[in-house]
């Protein structure tokens, strides 16, 4: 790296680091994003991370375009989101979703295998025909890089069973609660705000009192994201299926 590029890198990283520190004090949620951006700038500088053009976090800082252009980052396309509510349309994209699900949940802490995939496919076939079903896909350069889907909890739902909450809290009428069943982001697209974008998109237009989601406590990045966007932890329990691990049940 030339002397000029080294000097520019030092100035850019100092600026991003300062903004991150101020952001943490003035706005904890935004500050978390800024801190991640500070870490990202170091990784872009030595080519360990690609640059995502148009990422929301870049708009408040010196800009990933500047860092990448000066220090050799790779440029990848910003994901485009598409929403589905029709069950037949959702069935047609399952062949795209399946390999991404396998790839994401084969990693720690999930370490899922064929049995887990079969359970996911069975669940998806049921969820896509349920009231309030919404599916959001994220594609970059034509490839699927993320998805999220959810449904409205119905009066006979067992979602809250086993949690230490009042009966009035667990009452469902088919329009009170939206449950996010899955959010998955490809490894190469993480730490760029795509999880938050998928979360916002799957809830767009949902006129509900509350939103809930279950998260593996070992998935620390996911837990931090949900806490940062306003979820609170109601407690832990395994879901209903045999051999299920413990999940944290969250609501906002």
């Amino acid at each position: 790296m030339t002397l000029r590029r080294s000097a520019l890198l030092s100035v850019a990283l100092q600026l991003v680091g300062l903004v991150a520190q101020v952001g943490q004090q003035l706005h904890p949620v935004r500050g978390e994003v800024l801190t991640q951006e500070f870490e990202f700038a170091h990784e872009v500088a030595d080519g360990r991370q690609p640059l995502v053009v148009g990422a929301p976090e870049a708009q408040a800082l010196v800009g990933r375009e500047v860092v990448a252009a000066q220090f050799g980052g790779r440029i990848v396309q910003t994901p485009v989101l598409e929403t589905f509510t029709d069950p037949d349309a959702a069935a047609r994209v399952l062949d795209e979703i399946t390999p991404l699900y396998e790839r994401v949940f084969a990693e720690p802490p999930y370490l899922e295998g064929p049995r887990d995939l079969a359970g996911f496919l069975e669940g998806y076939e049921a969820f896509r025909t349920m009231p309030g079903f919404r599916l959001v896909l994220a594609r970059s350069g034509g490839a699927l890089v993320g998805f999220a889907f959810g449904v409205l909890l119905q009066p006979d739902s067992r979602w809250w069973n086993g949690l230490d909450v009042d009966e009035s809290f667990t009452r469902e009428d088919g329009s009170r609660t939206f449950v996010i069943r899955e959010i998955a982001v490809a490894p190469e697209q993480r730490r760029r705000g795509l999880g938050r974008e998928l979360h916002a998109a799957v809830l767009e237009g949902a006129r509900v009192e509350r939103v809930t989601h279950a998260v593996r406590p070992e998935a620390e990045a996911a837990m931090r994201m949900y806490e940062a966007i306003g979820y609170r932890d109601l407690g832990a329990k395994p879901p209903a299926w045999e051999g299920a691990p413990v999940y944290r049940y969250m609501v906002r």
Side-chain angles (χ1 to χ4, degrees), residues 131 152-157 160 167-178 207-210:
L152 293 169
L153 284 185
Q154 297 304 297
D156 60 352
S157 172
W160 308 112
E167 183 178 348
S168 60
F169 183 90
T170 66
R171 178 187 54 80
E172 297 295 341
D173 58 11
S175 61
R176 185 183 187 189
T177 309
F178 188 88
R207 298 181 178 179
V208 292
E209 179 182 325
R210 59 195 181 184

Side-chain angles (χ1 to χ4, degrees), residues 159 163 213-218 223 233-237 246-250:
W159 180 261
L163 295 174
H213 188 46
V215 187
R216 290 279 293 274
E218 307 93 327
M223 289 289 295
D233 192 345
L234 293 179
K237 66 164 185 167
V246 171
Y247 283 75
R248 305 298 304 187
Y249 282 69
M250 308 186 80

